């Protein structure tokens, strides 16, 4: 994992209280980074952050330092002040309104958070004196979904049916605009900033307690001895363990940053968009995922396809050749391994194991697969 690169790096993570943000924080702290979080106050769904960073003092045993500030990504002055204080060297932007259904309920907040929030971050980074590399996380849903069997590549058309997908596609366009307009050596530009975007989705893993997400819903139903209700059993998704895309984000940030120092070329090949999706055989239907889970942890399910009239795509697949060729990244855990790791995390925590111990265990197992 090149611990020497991450050791003592000043890293800002927006949305650090979320599912991905919590796992990324743990991993970077383990590698010795100084992690600075910025996000809204954790809600009832974000128990992983609360369990590990509020209720548990074990994070103090890591070599890296952790600081958290409660703030709204839509508040430019607060965000800019925090960034000026930190002077981060790397940024992972995960703060978002990240749920399709919530985007239907409050589209204005979704657009403000996902587009204006991202622009606020880019604007706040513009005046940094040090070199800063930022990986801005969007989603696999940024593509105009044609419901075809083929995978989407980074140069395919962007789009989005629902407010969440469309706002994330707009975020990609905003980042490209900022990169073209403000990154460079002209009078109105800065040579200190590097931006890349990362597209992934449908991650699973222990510690996700979010409402209206398939794995947390299954776990809650099993724990409560209730039937699991499937809305869209035939919808296929590129399921992957949360550590797979996080490793991709970290590889991208490292290469983006190091290329700036090690190359005399002005064009940075990593300052662009990257897909991080699993191998094609990890594309499984929702029903296949549920069947796999209840083979590990006993439960039963029923199908209720009339429970929602909101649009959800039925087919989605990413092609990640670019990440493989430029970053030497590919998924380390297949569908079976990812599902097993995920469900065993929940089972062990319900038996009384510490959430942070379960996370660190999975990270150590994952690192053994890294060549």
């Amino acid at each position: 994992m090149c611990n020497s690169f991450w050791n003592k790096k000043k890293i800002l993570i927006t949305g650090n209280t979320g599912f991905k943000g919590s796992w990324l924080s743990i991993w970077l702290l383990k590698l010795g980074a100084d992690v600075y979080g910025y996000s809204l106050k954790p809600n009832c769904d974000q128990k992983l952050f609360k369990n590990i960073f509020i209720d548990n003092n074990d994070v103090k045993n890591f070599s890296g330092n952790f600081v958290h500030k409660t703030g709204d990504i839509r508040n430019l002055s607060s965000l800019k002040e925090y960034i000026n204080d930190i002077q981060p060297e790397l940024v992972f932007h995960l703060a978002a309104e990240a749920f399709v259904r919530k985007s239907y309920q409050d589209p204005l907040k979704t657009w403000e958070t996902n587009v204006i929030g991202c622009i606020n971050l880019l604007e706040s980074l513009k005046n940094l004196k040090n070199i800063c590399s930022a990986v801005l996380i969007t989603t696999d849903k940024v593509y105009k979904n044609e419901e075809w069997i083929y995978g989407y590549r980074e140069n395919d058309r962007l789009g989005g049916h629902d407010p969440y997908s469309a706002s994330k596609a707009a975020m990609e366009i905003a980042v490209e605009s900022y990169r073209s307009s403000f990154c460079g050596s002209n009078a109105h530009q800065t040579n200190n900033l590097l931006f890349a975007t990362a597209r992934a989705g449908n991650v699973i893993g222990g510690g996700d307690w979010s409402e209206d997400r398939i794995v947390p819903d299954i776990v809650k139903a099993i724990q409560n001895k209730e039937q699991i209700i499937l809305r869209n059993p035939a919808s296929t998704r590129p399921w992957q363990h949360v550590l797979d895309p996080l490793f991709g984000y970290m590889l991208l940030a490292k290469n983006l940053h190091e290329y700036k120092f090690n190359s005399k070329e002005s064009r940075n090949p990593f300052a662009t968009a990257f897909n991080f999706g699993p191998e094609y055989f990890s594309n499984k239907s929702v029903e296949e995922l549920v069947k796999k889970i209840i083979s590990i942890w006993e439960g039963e399910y029923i199908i209720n396809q009339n429970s929602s009239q909101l649009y959800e795509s039925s087919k989605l697949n990413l092609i990640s050749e670019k990440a493989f060729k430029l970053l030497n990244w590919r998924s380390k855990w297949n569908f079976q391994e990812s599902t097993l790791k995920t469900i065993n995390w929940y089972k062990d925590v319900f038996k009384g194991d510490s959430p942070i111990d379960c996370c660190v265990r999975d990270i150590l197992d994952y690192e053994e697969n890294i060549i």
Side-chain angles (χ1 to χ4, degrees), residues 24 27 29 119 137 147 179 183 186 194 211 248 256 268 310 348 367:
L24 181 59
W27 203 346
L29 287 167
I119 292 174
I137 314 305
E147 298 288 353
R179 184 163 43 226
C183 296
N186 292 327
L194 299 160
E211 184 181 354
L256 184 68
N268 190 319
L310 299 179
D348 290 342
E367 288 178 338

Side-chain angles (χ1 to χ4, degrees), residues 214-215 239 285-293 335 339:
I214 184 65
V215 170
W239 308 103
S285 70
V286 171
E287 189 168 14
E288 287 176 298
L289 174 67
V290 173
K291 286 181 177 179
K292 181 62 181 176
I293 289 175
F335 173 75
T339 309

Side-chain angles (χ1 to χ4, degrees), residues 39-289:
S39 72
L40 297 173
K41 184 179 180 180
N43 60 40
C44 58
D45 289 343
Q46 296 169 330
K47 289 193 292 186
L48 182 62
F49 176 83
K50 183 176 183 294
N51 290 157
I52 291 174
F53 292 96
I54 298 177
D55 298 341
N56 196 315
N57 290 321
D58 288 348
V59 292
K60 296 180 180 179
N61 296 329
F62 291 131
S63 55
N65 297 312
F66 178 75
V67 177
H68 171 74
K69 178 179 175 63
T70 298
D72 193 325
I73 198 74
R74 297 173 295 173
N75 186 331
L76 176 59
S77 60
S78 173
L79 180 62
K80 186 178 287 188
E81 181 182 4
Y82 190 52
I83 286 174
N84 286 337
D85 289 343
I86 299 168
Q87 296 290 306
E89 298 166 87
L90 296 114
V91 176
F92 294 95
H93 176 50
L94 287 85
E97 185 58 64
F99 296 95
V100 171
R101 288 176 175 274
K102 287 184 179 179
S103 79
Y104 280 106
Q105 296 163 4
D106 195 343
L108 181 59
K109 181 182 177 183
T110 299
W111 281 91
E112 286 180 339
T113 302
N114 293 349
V115 182
I116 301 303
C118 177
I119 292 174
N120 284 343
L121 174 65
L122 301 181
E123 193 68 19
S124 299
L125 295 173
K126 275 171 51 179
N127 296 321
L128 288 177
K129 304 303 181 185
N130 57 284
I131 292 174
C132 180
S133 302
V135 175
L136 306 133
I137 314 305
T138 59
T139 174
D140 56 358
K141 298 176 180 64
V142 297
Y143 297 105
K144 180 174 174 54
N145 197 316
E146 305 287 356
E147 298 288 353
W148 56 29
I149 61 172
Y150 313 107
Y152 295 91
R153 299 177 187 272
E154 288 85 353
N155 58 355
D156 278 328
R157 182 181 175 187
L158 301 180
H161 184 284
D162 55 87
Y164 166 70
S165 303
S167 64
K168 282 294 193 175
M171 174 183 157
E172 290 271 0
I173 295 171
V175 172
E176 178 60 31
S177 169
Y178 256 74
R179 184 163 43 226
S180 301
S181 301
F182 302 114
C183 296
S185 54
N186 292 327
H188 64 287
Q189 295 177 325
T190 174
N191 209 26
N192 289 340
L193 284 184
L194 299 160
F195 299 140
T197 56
R199 303 166 181 175
N202 295 100
V203 295
I204 59 176
D208 186 0
W209 301 105
S210 302
E211 184 181 354
D212 201 27
R213 278 238 278 259
I214 184 65
V215 170
D217 286 350
I218 293 170
V219 169
K220 291 170 189 173
I222 292 174
Q223 275 295 107
N224 295 331
K225 300 187 184 304
E226 298 171 349
Q227 288 181 319
I228 302 159
I229 300 174
L230 302 189
R231 292 191 305 268
N232 299 292
S235 295
T236 61
R237 294 290 184 269
W239 308 103
Q240 60 185 156
H241 193 276
V242 63
L243 293 179
D244 262 334
L246 292 185
F247 180 49
Y249 305 163
M250 292 162 68
L251 273 179
L252 178 54
K254 178 178 179 294
N255 280 272
L256 184 68
H257 203 71
E258 288 185 329
Y259 190 89
K260 176 68 177 178
F261 289 98
N262 298 333
S263 176
K264 296 180 180 179
E265 295 183 22
S266 58
R267 182 184 176 277
N268 190 319
F270 303 103
T272 182
F274 281 80
N275 286 342
F276 294 102
E279 300 291 345
Y280 184 76
F281 51 76
S282 283
N283 283 6
K284 303 290 184 182
S285 70
V286 171
E287 189 168 14
E288 287 176 298
L289 174 67

